[in-house]
Amino acid sequence: MKPTFRLSLLASAIIVGMTSTTSTLAEEKTSDELEVITIIGDSSNTKKIAGSAHIVTEAELEQFKYSDVNRAVRQVPGVYIQLEDGLGLRPNIGLRGTGTSRTGRVSLMEDGVLIAPAPYAASSAYYFPTFDRITGIEVLKGPANIKYGPFTVGGAVNLISRQIPQEGEGQLKLEKGQHEELHGYFYYGDSFDNFGYLVEVNDHQSDGFKTIDRVGQETGFEKSDQIVKLRFNTDSDANIYQQLDVKLQNSYEESDQSYMGLTDVDFAANPYRMYGVSAGDNFKGKHEQVVLSYFADLSDNFDLNVTAYQNDFTRNWYKTGKFYTEDSANPGSYNSVSWSSVVGEINSNRGSALANYYQSILNGGDSGNDLIDKVDGNRAYLSEGIQARLDWSFMTGSADHFMQLGVRVHEDEADRFQRRGYFKQENGQLVSVDPGVWGDAGNRIDSAEATSYYLTDVITWGDWTLTPGVRYEDVELRRDNWGSAPDRSAAASVRTNSVSEVLPGFGAVWAINDTTSVLFGAHKGFAPPGSSASDKPEESWNYEMGLRFSGSQYSSELIAFYSDYENLLGECTLANSGCDINNEGDKFNGGKAEVKGIELLVSGEFAENWPARLSYTFTETEFNSSFDSNVWGSVDAGQPIPYIPENQAQLLMGYDNQKWSILTSINYTDSVCTKPACGEFQRTEERTLIDVSGEVQANDNVAFYATIENITDEDTIVAREPYGARPDKPRTAKIGVKLSF
């Protein structure tokens, strides 16, 4: 299915009307304020939300100058990270026990617009916004996130890009780091009475921190990003203030990344080694976005927000996936084995004839008639839609109401046209045997059409804030599959599925006094199913209860949460190792499960100019059903959900007097199970990572800074997917200068 509409006419957006990208909790607009694109607003609003809400501000992101979202978002409680490449190129983020793989169970947005390549049809986020240019992170969990589907079980993550400044300003940032890392960032923008603009350019490259056998250190990346934003607005004192924002974004990435990991013995000897079979593995991706956002301050009581968006993403991930052994009883026929099985055999049966042979292949030995494959994972994604929201402020008696009605019409698709080539290994080098034929490793289009509505009302009545709401999702999914055909001249095999769900939610905050409040929330969680008629949607009931305290020097929040899954969805991805490429993207029903835990956040100053922040999450997960899957293997009731740590914490502390600062971040994560069985070689290692940063403000326009990540050079196993043990980044230092004007 090809989407049948494009987004070139703003008039169409206004007529159809859907969910806004502007602030959901903004105060009444004054005549000299411009509409800012966020979903929460500012940090003060998080205390009013009947649900768990957190903002990582630009100032907080600047503390450590992270280019990896994994390191930045771990300060938010209830957020889980499955590390993979150590660079944050394709993060794996989950919320409150949801699956982490490719951030496929989170409503991932940039400036309030769904940003995963195909959120409904193929939710795995193989594209992730370049984090160097992000100026804030908003995380919503609990009943407040029902406005931001389709994934409402765990919550929503909104990445905030740089906004058009209200007066002329710019910045040039230059960085130099280890592993030949170079980073340059520039922006400039200005506003006038009826017009504003922003130009932004980002370029980042590194040779990487791993070394490929017989090849060298070619495991890095190059990323570039360009953004232009334009704003057209009426006079601030117009009878109806109106504002049109245009956002044009273009980015490109090339990275020498592989799914290959290491055996445990090889990891212990050198965690930053890469086997020669991964030589040539390479990711290329290009992303283009067009967003038109319209705002009208219709009256003192009504605001209208309309957004039309289109995201185009193309990528080809060329990488090794399997090893093929010739059948001795039937020469010319081959049996395939995944590299995860190769690594598993060596780990479990080291010294056996088969394990020794597999190890020789990993070490560069001749493969004889056996073959190694490389797959061109060529895909094109399209995600587009129109969304709008009507805000209505009114009173009934002594109660203030802030009601929002939102609608979104959305289409997306993932078009796979892939090729598998075969190689022999001779003298430690890969020699092509058969380049393959385009289409022989996947030739299909997964598509979705979705319409969603929501209605919420924030009711302020005395010391109470009540937030009833409901969301409705109507989704149609389709797969057109041409199998291994080299073209699409023949009729495709078609399968379809559809689902409609009503998702109620309710939250309440009671302000006991000026400093203390309690909250409670309940909502129904949802995630869309796959395109097979047997696939069911993910469904759960989610509850939270908590206490908030705001003192003169610090604030704190303690929230207990519980999610009761009626059906937990699993998804087959190559990133989860045991998945066959022909089943990639398929979802399966995982049955009942439970997730429960506690989130704690304390932040403030324990003395003047001495900031501190403590984030802690305790989580217990449990499958309540027994089943077999091609991702998790055999699952027994009572086993844990993979990659969800029981304990994780982050402590930030240091000194900052606005002229110079030195800060330390200490992050602890438990060992986690990488498979539900949690057997030998199915766990990561617990780790404690320490990052340090320092900055000196030379004058109003120039600042110098330095950071050291992983200062103790911790080299534990942080993941086992895909295809073996994987490390995080080693100790890495960088220096930089920031010029503001």
Side-chain angles (χ1 to χ4, degrees), residues 98 104-107 120 145-146 148-155 408 450-452 471-477 498-504 523-529 536-542 565 567 569:
T98 63
R105 284 296 175 273
V106 171
S107 294
Y120 284 84
N145 87 83
I146 66 170
Y148 307 107
F151 302 98
T152 63
V153 176
R408 180 174 65 211
T451 303
S452 57
R471 181 179 188 85
Y472 175 75
E473 286 275 358
D474 181 64
V475 187
E476 295 183 4
L477 300 122
S498 62
V499 62
S500 298
E501 286 284 340
V502 177
L503 308 169
H523 76 282
K524 186 176 183 181
F526 168 82
K536 300 177 182 178
E538 186 165 89
E539 294 183 297
S540 67
W541 277 100
N542 310 278
Y565 285 88
N567 182 48
L569 278 182

Short mmCIF file of all heavy atoms in Angstrom, two decimals, residues 98 104-107 120 145-146 148-155 408 450-452 471-477 498-504 523-529 536-542 565 567 569:
data_model
loop_
_atom_site.label_atom_id
_atom_site.label_comp_id
_atom_site.label_asym_id
_atom_site.label_seq_id
_atom_site.Cartn_x
_atom_site.Cartn_y
_atom_site.Cartn_z
N THR A 98 8.50 -2.09 29.75
CA THR A 98 8.21 -2.42 28.36
C THR A 98 9.48 -2.94 27.69
O THR A 98 10.59 -2.73 28.16
CB THR A 98 7.71 -1.20 27.58
OG1 THR A 98 8.74 -0.20 27.55
CG2 THR A 98 6.47 -0.62 28.22
N GLY A 104 11.07 0.18 20.48
CA GLY A 104 9.86 -0.16 19.73
C GLY A 104 8.60 -0.23 20.55
O GLY A 104 7.54 -0.55 20.01
N ARG A 105 8.67 0.06 21.88
CA ARG A 105 7.47 0.03 22.72
C ARG A 105 7.28 1.37 23.43
O ARG A 105 6.67 1.44 24.50
CB ARG A 105 7.56 -1.10 23.75
CG ARG A 105 7.32 -2.47 23.17
CD ARG A 105 5.89 -2.60 22.65
NE ARG A 105 5.63 -3.85 22.00
CZ ARG A 105 5.85 -4.09 20.71
NH1 ARG A 105 6.34 -3.13 19.95
NH2 ARG A 105 5.58 -5.25 20.17
N VAL A 106 7.81 2.42 22.82
CA VAL A 106 7.70 3.77 23.37
C VAL A 106 7.15 4.68 22.29
O VAL A 106 7.52 4.56 21.12
CB VAL A 106 9.09 4.28 23.84
CG1 VAL A 106 9.04 5.75 24.21
CG2 VAL A 106 9.58 3.45 25.02
N SER A 107 6.25 5.59 22.66
CA SER A 107 5.81 6.62 21.70
C SER A 107 6.93 7.65 21.59
O SER A 107 7.02 8.58 22.38
CB SER A 107 4.50 7.27 22.18
OG SER A 107 3.44 6.34 22.16
N TYR A 120 3.59 2.53 13.43
CA TYR A 120 2.56 1.50 13.53
C TYR A 120 2.96 0.21 12.81
O TYR A 120 2.81 -0.88 13.35
CB TYR A 120 1.24 2.02 12.95
CG TYR A 120 0.50 2.99 13.82
CD1 TYR A 120 0.81 4.34 13.81
CD2 TYR A 120 -0.54 2.57 14.66
CE1 TYR A 120 0.13 5.25 14.61
CE2 TYR A 120 -1.23 3.46 15.45
CZ TYR A 120 -0.90 4.80 15.43
OH TYR A 120 -1.57 5.70 16.23
N ASN A 145 0.07 9.98 29.63
CA ASN A 145 0.63 9.69 28.31
C ASN A 145 -0.41 9.15 27.33
O ASN A 145 -0.06 8.85 26.19
CB ASN A 145 1.83 8.73 28.43
CG ASN A 145 1.44 7.26 28.42
OD1 ASN A 145 1.25 6.66 27.36
ND2 ASN A 145 1.36 6.65 29.59
N ILE A 146 -1.69 9.05 27.71
CA ILE A 146 -2.68 8.50 26.78
C ILE A 146 -2.91 9.43 25.59
O ILE A 146 -3.47 9.02 24.58
CB ILE A 146 -4.02 8.18 27.47
CG1 ILE A 146 -4.71 9.44 27.97
CG2 ILE A 146 -3.84 7.17 28.58
CD1 ILE A 146 -6.14 9.19 28.44
N TYR A 148 -0.54 10.49 23.78
CA TYR A 148 0.60 10.37 22.89
C TYR A 148 0.83 8.93 22.45
O TYR A 148 1.91 8.40 22.57
CB TYR A 148 1.84 10.94 23.56
CG TYR A 148 1.62 12.33 24.07
CD1 TYR A 148 1.48 12.59 25.43
CD2 TYR A 148 1.48 13.39 23.18
CE1 TYR A 148 1.25 13.88 25.88
CE2 TYR A 148 1.24 14.68 23.63
CZ TYR A 148 1.13 14.92 24.98
OH TYR A 148 0.89 16.18 25.43
N GLY A 149 -0.20 8.28 21.92
CA GLY A 149 -0.07 6.92 21.43
C GLY A 149 0.80 6.86 20.18
O GLY A 149 1.32 7.88 19.71
N PRO A 150 0.97 5.64 19.61
CA PRO A 150 0.14 4.49 19.91
C PRO A 150 0.57 3.65 21.11
O PRO A 150 -0.17 2.76 21.53
CB PRO A 150 0.25 3.64 18.64
CG PRO A 150 1.62 3.95 18.12
CD PRO A 150 1.85 5.40 18.45
N PHE A 151 1.77 3.89 21.67
CA PHE A 151 2.26 3.01 22.73
C PHE A 151 2.00 3.67 24.08
O PHE A 151 2.71 4.59 24.49
CB PHE A 151 3.76 2.74 22.53
CG PHE A 151 4.06 2.12 21.19
CD1 PHE A 151 4.49 2.91 20.13
CD2 PHE A 151 3.89 0.77 20.98
CE1 PHE A 151 4.75 2.36 18.90
CE2 PHE A 151 4.14 0.20 19.75
CZ PHE A 151 4.57 0.99 18.69
N THR A 152 0.99 3.18 24.78
CA THR A 152 0.56 3.84 26.02
C THR A 152 0.81 3.00 27.26
O THR A 152 0.41 3.41 28.35
CB THR A 152 -0.94 4.20 25.94
OG1 THR A 152 -1.71 3.00 25.82
CG2 THR A 152 -1.23 5.10 24.74
N VAL A 153 1.45 1.84 27.13
CA VAL A 153 1.71 1.01 28.31
C VAL A 153 2.76 1.68 29.19
O VAL A 153 2.52 1.98 30.36
CB VAL A 153 2.17 -0.40 27.90
CG1 VAL A 153 2.52 -1.21 29.16
CG2 VAL A 153 1.08 -1.11 27.12
N GLY A 154 3.94 1.92 28.61
CA GLY A 154 5.02 2.52 29.39
C GLY A 154 4.97 4.03 29.37
O GLY A 154 5.02 4.68 30.42
N GLY A 155 4.87 4.60 28.16
CA GLY A 155 4.80 6.05 28.11
C GLY A 155 5.38 6.62 26.83
O GLY A 155 5.55 5.93 25.82
N ARG A 408 -5.74 12.49 15.21
CA ARG A 408 -4.59 12.30 14.31
C ARG A 408 -4.96 11.27 13.25
O ARG A 408 -5.49 10.19 13.56
CB ARG A 408 -3.36 11.81 15.08
CG ARG A 408 -2.14 11.60 14.17
CD ARG A 408 -0.89 11.27 14.97
NE ARG A 408 -1.00 10.00 15.67
CZ ARG A 408 -0.40 9.74 16.83
NH1 ARG A 408 0.31 10.67 17.42
NH2 ARG A 408 -0.55 8.56 17.40
N ALA A 450 -3.89 4.57 10.46
CA ALA A 450 -4.38 4.70 11.84
C ALA A 450 -5.07 6.04 12.03
O ALA A 450 -4.61 7.07 11.54
CB ALA A 450 -3.22 4.57 12.83
N THR A 451 -6.17 5.99 12.75
CA THR A 451 -6.87 7.19 13.17
C THR A 451 -7.03 7.13 14.68
O THR A 451 -7.45 6.10 15.22
CB THR A 451 -8.25 7.31 12.52
OG1 THR A 451 -8.10 7.28 11.10
CG2 THR A 451 -8.93 8.62 12.91
N SER A 452 -6.65 8.20 15.35
CA SER A 452 -6.75 8.20 16.81
C SER A 452 -7.39 9.50 17.27
O SER A 452 -7.26 10.54 16.63
CB SER A 452 -5.36 8.04 17.45
OG SER A 452 -4.48 9.05 17.01
N ARG A 471 -8.73 7.71 25.14
CA ARG A 471 -8.11 7.67 23.82
C ARG A 471 -8.76 6.55 23.01
O ARG A 471 -9.13 5.51 23.57
CB ARG A 471 -6.61 7.43 23.93
CG ARG A 471 -5.89 7.41 22.57
CD ARG A 471 -4.40 7.19 22.72
NE ARG A 471 -3.72 7.36 21.43
CZ ARG A 471 -3.32 8.51 20.95
NH1 ARG A 471 -3.50 9.62 21.67
NH2 ARG A 471 -2.74 8.60 19.77
N TYR A 472 -8.88 6.78 21.72
CA TYR A 472 -9.42 5.74 20.83
C TYR A 472 -8.43 5.54 19.69
O TYR A 472 -8.00 6.49 19.05
CB TYR A 472 -10.77 6.16 20.27
CG TYR A 472 -11.34 5.19 19.24
CD1 TYR A 472 -11.89 3.98 19.64
CD2 TYR A 472 -11.32 5.51 17.88
CE1 TYR A 472 -12.41 3.10 18.70
CE2 TYR A 472 -11.84 4.63 16.94
CZ TYR A 472 -12.38 3.43 17.35
OH TYR A 472 -12.89 2.55 16.42
N GLU A 473 -8.03 4.29 19.46
CA GLU A 473 -7.13 3.94 18.36
C GLU A 473 -7.84 2.99 17.41
O GLU A 473 -8.41 1.98 17.83
CB GLU A 473 -5.86 3.26 18.89
CG GLU A 473 -4.88 4.18 19.59
CD GLU A 473 -3.93 4.88 18.61
OE1 GLU A 473 -4.03 4.61 17.38
OE2 GLU A 473 -3.10 5.68 19.07
N ASP A 474 -7.81 3.33 16.12
CA ASP A 474 -8.35 2.47 15.08
C ASP A 474 -7.22 2.24 14.07
O ASP A 474 -6.77 3.20 13.41
CB ASP A 474 -9.56 3.12 14.41
CG ASP A 474 -10.16 2.23 13.34
OD1 ASP A 474 -10.65 1.15 13.68
OD2 ASP A 474 -10.13 2.62 12.15
N VAL A 475 -6.75 1.00 13.95
CA VAL A 475 -5.56 0.70 13.17
C VAL A 475 -5.84 -0.43 12.18
O VAL A 475 -6.45 -1.45 12.53
CB VAL A 475 -4.39 0.27 14.09
CG1 VAL A 475 -3.10 0.12 13.28
CG2 VAL A 475 -4.20 1.26 15.23
N GLU A 476 -5.42 -0.23 10.94
CA GLU A 476 -5.46 -1.27 9.91
C GLU A 476 -4.04 -1.54 9.44
O GLU A 476 -3.32 -0.62 9.05
CB GLU A 476 -6.34 -0.84 8.74
CG GLU A 476 -7.81 -0.66 9.10
CD GLU A 476 -8.66 -0.30 7.90
OE1 GLU A 476 -8.10 -0.26 6.78
OE2 GLU A 476 -9.86 -0.06 8.08
N LEU A 477 -3.64 -2.82 9.48
CA LEU A 477 -2.28 -3.21 9.12
C LEU A 477 -2.31 -4.17 7.93
O LEU A 477 -3.26 -4.96 7.79
CB LEU A 477 -1.58 -3.87 10.31
CG LEU A 477 -1.45 -2.98 11.54
CD1 LEU A 477 -2.11 -3.64 12.73
CD2 LEU A 477 -0.01 -2.63 11.84
N SER A 498 -6.61 -5.84 11.79
CA SER A 498 -7.14 -4.55 12.23
C SER A 498 -7.52 -4.64 13.69
O SER A 498 -7.79 -5.72 14.23
CB SER A 498 -8.36 -4.14 11.39
OG SER A 498 -9.41 -5.08 11.54
N VAL A 499 -7.52 -3.48 14.34
CA VAL A 499 -7.85 -3.44 15.75
C VAL A 499 -8.41 -2.07 16.09
O VAL A 499 -7.98 -1.06 15.52
CB VAL A 499 -6.61 -3.75 16.63
CG1 VAL A 499 -5.52 -2.71 16.42
CG2 VAL A 499 -6.97 -3.84 18.10
N SER A 500 -9.36 -2.03 16.98
CA SER A 500 -9.91 -0.78 17.51
C SER A 500 -9.94 -0.91 19.03
O SER A 500 -10.41 -1.93 19.55
CB SER A 500 -11.32 -0.51 16.98
OG SER A 500 -11.29 -0.36 15.58
N GLU A 501 -9.47 0.11 19.72
CA GLU A 501 -9.38 0.05 21.18
C GLU A 501 -9.80 1.37 21.80
O GLU A 501 -9.44 2.45 21.31
CB GLU A 501 -7.96 -0.26 21.62
CG GLU A 501 -7.52 -1.69 21.41
CD GLU A 501 -8.10 -2.66 22.42
OE1 GLU A 501 -8.53 -2.19 23.50
OE2 GLU A 501 -8.10 -3.87 22.14
N VAL A 502 -10.58 1.28 22.88
CA VAL A 502 -10.91 2.43 23.71
C VAL A 502 -10.02 2.36 24.95
O VAL A 502 -9.99 1.34 25.65
CB VAL A 502 -12.39 2.44 24.11
CG1 VAL A 502 -12.68 3.62 25.05
CG2 VAL A 502 -13.27 2.51 22.87
N LEU A 503 -9.29 3.45 25.22
CA LEU A 503 -8.28 3.44 26.27
C LEU A 503 -8.57 4.53 27.28
O LEU A 503 -8.18 5.69 27.11
CB LEU A 503 -6.90 3.67 25.65
CG LEU A 503 -6.53 2.73 24.48
CD1 LEU A 503 -5.28 3.22 23.78
CD2 LEU A 503 -6.36 1.31 24.98
N PRO A 504 -9.27 4.20 28.36
CA PRO A 504 -9.57 5.21 29.38
C PRO A 504 -8.40 5.42 30.32
O PRO A 504 -7.52 4.57 30.47
CB PRO A 504 -10.76 4.59 30.12
CG PRO A 504 -10.56 3.11 29.98
CD PRO A 504 -9.91 2.90 28.64
N HIS A 523 -4.67 3.72 34.02
CA HIS A 523 -5.04 3.83 32.62
C HIS A 523 -4.84 2.49 31.93
O HIS A 523 -4.09 1.62 32.40
CB HIS A 523 -4.21 4.91 31.91
CG HIS A 523 -2.80 4.51 31.61
ND1 HIS A 523 -1.80 4.50 32.55
CD2 HIS A 523 -2.21 4.12 30.44
CE1 HIS A 523 -0.67 4.12 32.00
NE2 HIS A 523 -0.88 3.88 30.72
N LYS A 524 -5.51 2.34 30.80
CA LYS A 524 -5.37 1.13 30.00
C LYS A 524 -4.26 1.33 28.98
O LYS A 524 -4.23 2.33 28.26
CB LYS A 524 -6.68 0.80 29.28
CG LYS A 524 -6.64 -0.55 28.55
CD LYS A 524 -7.99 -0.90 27.93
CE LYS A 524 -7.93 -2.27 27.27
NZ LYS A 524 -9.22 -2.65 26.64
N GLY A 525 -3.33 0.37 28.93
CA GLY A 525 -2.22 0.45 28.00
C GLY A 525 -2.49 -0.32 26.73
O GLY A 525 -3.26 -1.29 26.70
N PHE A 526 -1.82 0.12 25.65
CA PHE A 526 -2.06 -0.45 24.33
C PHE A 526 -0.80 -0.34 23.49
O PHE A 526 -0.03 0.62 23.60
CB PHE A 526 -3.20 0.31 23.64
CG PHE A 526 -3.38 0.03 22.17
CD1 PHE A 526 -4.09 -1.09 21.75
CD2 PHE A 526 -2.85 0.88 21.22
CE1 PHE A 526 -4.26 -1.35 20.39
CE2 PHE A 526 -3.02 0.64 19.86
CZ PHE A 526 -3.73 -0.48 19.45
N ALA A 527 -0.58 -1.34 22.62
CA ALA A 527 0.40 -1.26 21.55
C ALA A 527 -0.20 -2.02 20.37
O ALA A 527 -0.80 -3.08 20.55
CB ALA A 527 1.73 -1.87 21.95
N PRO A 528 -0.07 -1.50 19.14
CA PRO A 528 -0.69 -2.16 17.99
C PRO A 528 -0.07 -3.52 17.71
O PRO A 528 1.13 -3.72 17.95
CB PRO A 528 -0.45 -1.18 16.84
CG PRO A 528 0.68 -0.32 17.29
CD PRO A 528 0.59 -0.25 18.78
N PRO A 529 -0.86 -4.45 17.18
CA PRO A 529 -0.35 -5.79 16.87
C PRO A 529 0.39 -5.79 15.53
O PRO A 529 0.57 -4.74 14.89
CB PRO A 529 -1.63 -6.62 16.79
CG PRO A 529 -2.65 -5.66 16.25
CD PRO A 529 -2.29 -4.32 16.87
N LYS A 536 -2.61 -10.29 18.40
CA LYS A 536 -3.46 -9.47 19.26
C LYS A 536 -2.69 -8.22 19.67
O LYS A 536 -1.47 -8.22 19.70
CB LYS A 536 -3.86 -10.26 20.51
CG LYS A 536 -4.63 -11.53 20.25
CD LYS A 536 -4.91 -12.26 21.56
CE LYS A 536 -5.64 -13.57 21.32
NZ LYS A 536 -5.88 -14.31 22.60
N PRO A 537 -3.41 -7.16 19.99
CA PRO A 537 -2.70 -5.97 20.48
C PRO A 537 -2.13 -6.22 21.87
O PRO A 537 -2.59 -7.11 22.60
CB PRO A 537 -3.77 -4.90 20.51
CG PRO A 537 -5.05 -5.66 20.69
CD PRO A 537 -4.87 -6.95 19.94
N GLU A 538 -1.12 -5.46 22.21
CA GLU A 538 -0.63 -5.48 23.59
C GLU A 538 -1.62 -4.71 24.45
O GLU A 538 -1.99 -3.58 24.12
CB GLU A 538 0.74 -4.85 23.67
CG GLU A 538 1.39 -4.95 25.04
CD GLU A 538 2.86 -4.64 24.98
OE1 GLU A 538 3.20 -3.45 25.11
OE2 GLU A 538 3.67 -5.57 24.78
N GLU A 539 -2.04 -5.30 25.55
CA GLU A 539 -3.02 -4.67 26.43
C GLU A 539 -2.59 -4.84 27.88
O GLU A 539 -2.05 -5.89 28.27
CB GLU A 539 -4.40 -5.29 26.24
CG GLU A 539 -5.03 -5.03 24.88
CD GLU A 539 -6.42 -5.61 24.77
OE1 GLU A 539 -6.57 -6.84 24.87
OE2 GLU A 539 -7.38 -4.82 24.60
N SER A 540 -2.84 -3.81 28.66
CA SER A 540 -2.50 -3.88 30.09
C SER A 540 -3.33 -2.85 30.84
O SER A 540 -3.86 -1.89 30.27
CB SER A 540 -1.01 -3.59 30.30
OG SER A 540 -0.72 -2.24 29.97
N TRP A 541 -3.43 -3.05 32.14
CA TRP A 541 -3.93 -2.02 33.05
C TRP A 541 -2.75 -1.58 33.90
O TRP A 541 -2.00 -2.40 34.43
CB TRP A 541 -5.08 -2.54 33.91
CG TRP A 541 -6.39 -2.47 33.19
CD1 TRP A 541 -7.06 -3.48 32.56
CD2 TRP A 541 -7.19 -1.29 33.01
NE1 TRP A 541 -8.21 -3.02 31.98
CE2 TRP A 541 -8.33 -1.68 32.24
CE3 TRP A 541 -7.06 0.04 33.39
CZ2 TRP A 541 -9.32 -0.78 31.88
CZ3 TRP A 541 -8.05 0.94 33.04
CH2 TRP A 541 -9.17 0.53 32.29
N ASN A 542 -2.59 -0.27 34.01
CA ASN A 542 -1.42 0.30 34.64
C ASN A 542 -1.84 1.25 35.76
O ASN A 542 -2.76 2.07 35.59
CB ASN A 542 -0.60 1.07 33.61
CG ASN A 542 -0.34 0.26 32.36
OD1 ASN A 542 0.57 -0.56 32.31
ND2 ASN A 542 -1.16 0.45 31.34
N TYR A 565 -0.30 -7.02 32.54
CA TYR A 565 -0.47 -7.29 31.12
C TYR A 565 -1.47 -8.42 30.90
O TYR A 565 -1.32 -9.52 31.45
CB TYR A 565 0.85 -7.71 30.48
CG TYR A 565 1.84 -6.60 30.24
CD1 TYR A 565 2.75 -6.23 31.24
CD2 TYR A 565 1.91 -5.95 29.02
CE1 TYR A 565 3.68 -5.23 31.01
CE2 TYR A 565 2.83 -4.95 28.79
CZ TYR A 565 3.72 -4.59 29.78
OH TYR A 565 4.64 -3.61 29.56
N ASN A 567 -1.88 -9.19 27.60
CA ASN A 567 -1.11 -9.78 26.50
C ASN A 567 0.12 -8.93 26.26
O ASN A 567 0.03 -7.78 25.85
CB ASN A 567 -1.94 -9.87 25.22
CG ASN A 567 -1.17 -10.53 24.09
OD1 ASN A 567 -0.58 -11.58 24.28
ND2 ASN A 567 -1.16 -9.91 22.92
N LEU A 569 3.32 -8.24 24.05
CA LEU A 569 3.78 -8.53 22.70
C LEU A 569 5.30 -8.69 22.67
O LEU A 569 6.02 -7.95 23.32
CB LEU A 569 3.39 -7.40 21.74
CG LEU A 569 1.98 -7.40 21.15
CD1 LEU A 569 1.82 -6.23 20.19
CD2 LEU A 569 1.65 -8.70 20.45
#
